[in-house]
């Protein structure tokens, strides 16, 4: 894969509003005798309940019902005109034969679906892209492939490194859903802009097979006098099925009645939030501070392999949305017994450990170091052993 290095490393509030749905309201009169046949039923389908009362104002006559999550996502779909393609229909048939797989994946996606959709919408990308983790990882943040790809978005190690996803013994940014989602969307947008004049379908193919493979296929197609869009390229089998799988899933979600499938309900409200933690803390202590179970907190933060949140890797901790305020209140003024040390020219890790009366092994572990190599200007976190043990 060619690389697209993200310039963004920022804390993102996941508890923001997903997006605002707009409607066009037709003028209605207050008296039932003036309604056209079928008008009330049509209004209900648009999320409106029309009330037959005399002496009411226009706005009193309408009760606006907020759209559900699936309705909002469908409004962002952009590729539904391609679902009749034979390659898409083949996968629609497959998913119809295995409806339990769609339901199981949706259940697994609950913590993340709303937020990922909001990030896709914020960038103005087709809504179908929010469903990409369906085919990458079945929405499992801990998924690992036999080829070495990891996380919800299945980044290979070198690609993750190029996109700024830190990997140490204590932290893997590919498993961090917040960081990896931003990297994935950066990558898709970057590839589309660099190689494909904004064509996101070609960028999706490059996400799967690498830009080199897709670009060679396009050159070969051009040499044969054939179109160079995704649907006419000769690509590896997995890549030939990549976009059709995505469109098949989106087609079923767009019109589940047509395919005799029932979608689990997803609430159109944020389920998680990100809180900035500016000092190293254990997940066990943070769970107590947020009043959530350790198991729950670990499941939302799979990138923290050693059970610690360290701002040296990422400042963000993901918590249930309703636990955000509790954690923020308890973080205010917290003291962890950890000090920061900025490495100076000529410093030696062993000497730094001796100067601060900590073991060399604990200093390496706390900072995710595989050896003793350090550089001037680097920030080290030096734990107080007594307090760290209690954390």
């Amino acid at each position: 894969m060619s690389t697209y290095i993200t310039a963004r490393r920022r804390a993102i509030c996941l508890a923001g509003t997903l997006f605002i749905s707009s409607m066009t309201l037709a003028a209605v009169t207050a008296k039932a005798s003036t309604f056209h046949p079928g008008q009330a039923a049509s209004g209900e389908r648009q999320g409106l309940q029309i009330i037959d009362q005399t002496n009411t104002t226009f706005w009193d006559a309408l009760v606006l019902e907020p759209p559900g999550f699936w309705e909002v996502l469908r409004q962002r779909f952009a590729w539904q005109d391609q679902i009749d393609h034979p390659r898409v229909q083949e996968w629609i048939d497959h998913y119809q034969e295995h409806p339990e797989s769609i339901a199981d994946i949706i259940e697994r996606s609950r913590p993340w679906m709303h937020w990922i959709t909001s990030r896709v919408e914020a960038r103005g990308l087709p809504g179908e892209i929010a469903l990409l983790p369906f085919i990458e990882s079945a929405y499992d943040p801990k998924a690992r492939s036999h080829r070495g790809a990891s996380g919800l978005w299945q980044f290979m190690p070198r690609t993750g490194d190029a996109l700024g996803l830190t990997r140490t013994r204590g932290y893997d940014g590919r498993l961090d859903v917040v960081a990896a989602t931003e990297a994935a969307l950066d990558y898709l947008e970057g590839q589309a802009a660099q190689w494909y004049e904004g064509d996101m379908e070609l960028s999706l193919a490059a996400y799967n097979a690498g830009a080199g493979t897709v670009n060679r296929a396009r050159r070969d197609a051009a040499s044969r006098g054939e179109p160079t869009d995704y649907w006419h390229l000769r690509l590896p089998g997995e890549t030939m099925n990549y976009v059709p799988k995505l469109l098949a899933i989106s087609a079923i979600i767009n019109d589940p009645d047509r395919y005799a499938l029932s979608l689990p309900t997803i609430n159109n409200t944020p389920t998680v939030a990100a809180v900035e933690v500016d000092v190293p803390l254990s997940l066990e202590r943070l769970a107590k501070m947020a009043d959530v179970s350790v198991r729950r907190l670990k499941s939302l933060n799979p990138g923290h392999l050693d059970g610690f949140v360290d701002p040296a890797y990422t400042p963000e901790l993901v918590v249930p949305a309703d636990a955000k305020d509790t954690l923020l209140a308890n973080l205010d003024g917290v003291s962890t017994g950890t000090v920061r040390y900025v490495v100076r020219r000529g410093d030696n890790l062993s000497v730094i450990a001796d100067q601060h009366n900590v073991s060399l092994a604990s200093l390496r572990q706390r900072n995710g170091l595989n050896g003793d190599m350090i550089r001037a200007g680097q920030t080290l976190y030096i734990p107080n052993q007594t307090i760290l043990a209690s954390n």
Side-chain angles (χ1 to χ4, degrees):
M1 288 186 179
S2 65
T3 60
Y4 176 76
I5 303 177
T6 179
R8 302 202 249 312
R9 292 295 300 154
R10 63 185 185 276
I12 301 170
C13 178
L14 308 187
T17 302
L18 178 61
F19 28 68
I20 300 173
S21 174
S22 59
M23 298 182 181
T24 301
L25 303 179
V28 296
T29 63
K31 293 186 179 180
S33 59
T34 62
F35 287 165
H36 294 291
Q39 184 174 8
S42 174
E44 289 168 359
R45 285 194 297 271
Q46 298 177 39
L48 303 178
Q49 180 183 355
I50 301 180
I51 304 173
D52 179 16
Q53 291 181 343
T54 57
N55 300 321
T56 58
T57 66
F58 170 80
W59 293 110
D60 288 336
L62 299 175
V63 177
L64 295 181
E65 298 178 359
F69 172 80
W70 295 122
E71 179 183 346
V72 173
L73 178 58
R74 290 166 189 142
Q75 292 172 1
R76 297 299 307 172
F77 285 164
W79 295 329
Q80 295 305 296
D81 59 337
Q82 301 183 75
I83 65 172
D84 292 328
H85 193 286
R87 280 153 61 189
V88 178
Q89 285 298 311
E90 179 182 348
W91 282 101
I92 289 176
D93 293 342
H94 169 80
Y95 289 123
Q96 280 189 284
E97 293 172 1
H98 303 87
E100 71 283 351
S101 65
I102 296 287
D104 290 346
I105 294 172
I106 289 175
E107 289 296 336
R108 192 180 298 118
S109 76
R110 285 188 183 278
W112 308 111
M113 180 72 84
H114 182 280
W115 177 70
I116 289 176
T117 301
S118 73
R119 298 309 307 148
V120 168
E121 191 276 339
R123 293 172 181 246
L125 296 173
E128 288 90 345
I129 290 175
L131 303 175
L132 193 58
F134 265 80
I135 59 176
E136 282 291 344
S137 63
Y139 260 99
D140 180 2
K142 296 182 180 180
R144 297 180 185 272
S145 77
H146 65 280
R147 293 179 296 184
S150 292
L152 202 75
W153 295 92
Q154 289 291 282
F155 281 116
M156 295 293 286
R158 288 186 179 180
T159 306
D161 293 346
L163 291 167
L165 296 174
T166 304
R167 286 185 300 131
T168 71
R169 288 188 300 179
Y171 174 77
D172 189 340
R174 297 175 300 161
L175 304 180
D176 184 326
V177 177
V178 173
T181 298
E182 293 304 312
L185 299 182
D186 283 344
Y187 183 80
L188 287 168
E189 287 187 308
Q191 293 282 87
Q194 182 178 2
W195 300 110
Y196 310 121
E197 298 181 340
D199 189 318
M200 292 303 297
E201 290 181 337
L202 287 170
S203 185
L204 284 167
Y207 187 96
N208 178 251
T213 298
V214 175
N215 294 346
R216 282 193 298 272
R218 296 188 78 205
R219 289 194 296 269
D220 291 345
S223 70
R224 297 190 297 268
E226 298 173 355
T228 59
D229 64 287
Y230 169 79
W231 297 98
H232 289 87
L233 299 184
R234 301 177 187 178
L235 295 163
E238 180 180 305
T239 312
M240 294 285 282
N241 287 317
Y242 194 69
V243 174
K245 279 185 180 180
L246 180 63
L247 294 188
I249 292 169
S250 70
I252 291 170
I253 288 176
N254 191 53
D255 192 357
D257 291 342
R258 174 180 176 182
Y259 303 106
L261 292 175
S262 178
L263 299 179
T265 300
I266 296 275
N267 292 330
N268 194 23
T269 54
T271 56
V272 294
V275 174
E276 185 169 317
V277 180
D278 59 5
V279 290
L281 283 169
S282 71
L283 288 178
E284 289 187 4
R285 184 173 180 187
L286 286 162
K288 293 178 182 177
M289 297 169 72
D291 194 24
V292 299
S293 71
V294 176
R295 180 178 180 180
R296 176 65 171 155
L297 202 60
K298 286 183 176 180
S299 72
L300 294 177
N301 295 275
H304 300 285
L305 306 177
D306 62 354
F308 278 84
V309 175
D310 194 329
Y313 315 140
T314 175
E316 295 163 337
L317 174 77
V318 179
V319 298
D322 57 7
K324 176 184 177 181
D325 291 342
T326 300
L327 178 58
L328 286 173
N330 287 324
L331 278 173
D332 189 26
V334 68
S335 175
T336 66
T338 301
V339 298
R340 301 184 186 191
Y341 178 83
V342 179
V343 176
R344 298 187 291 264
R345 186 180 299 276
D347 273 347
N348 176 283
L349 193 66
S350 178
V351 172
I352 294 173
D354 289 342
Q355 289 174 342
H356 292 86
N357 195 31
V358 297
S359 70
L360 182 58
S362 67
L363 190 57
R364 287 197 198 104
Q365 180 183 17
R366 189 77 240 42
N367 291 278
L369 301 174
N370 295 319
D372 295 344
M373 182 71 69
I374 54 177
R375 65 182 184 279
Q378 180 180 356
T379 298
L380 296 177
Y381 293 90
I382 302 172
N384 178 299
Q385 295 285 39
T386 301
I387 295 181
L388 184 60
S390 67
N391 284 350

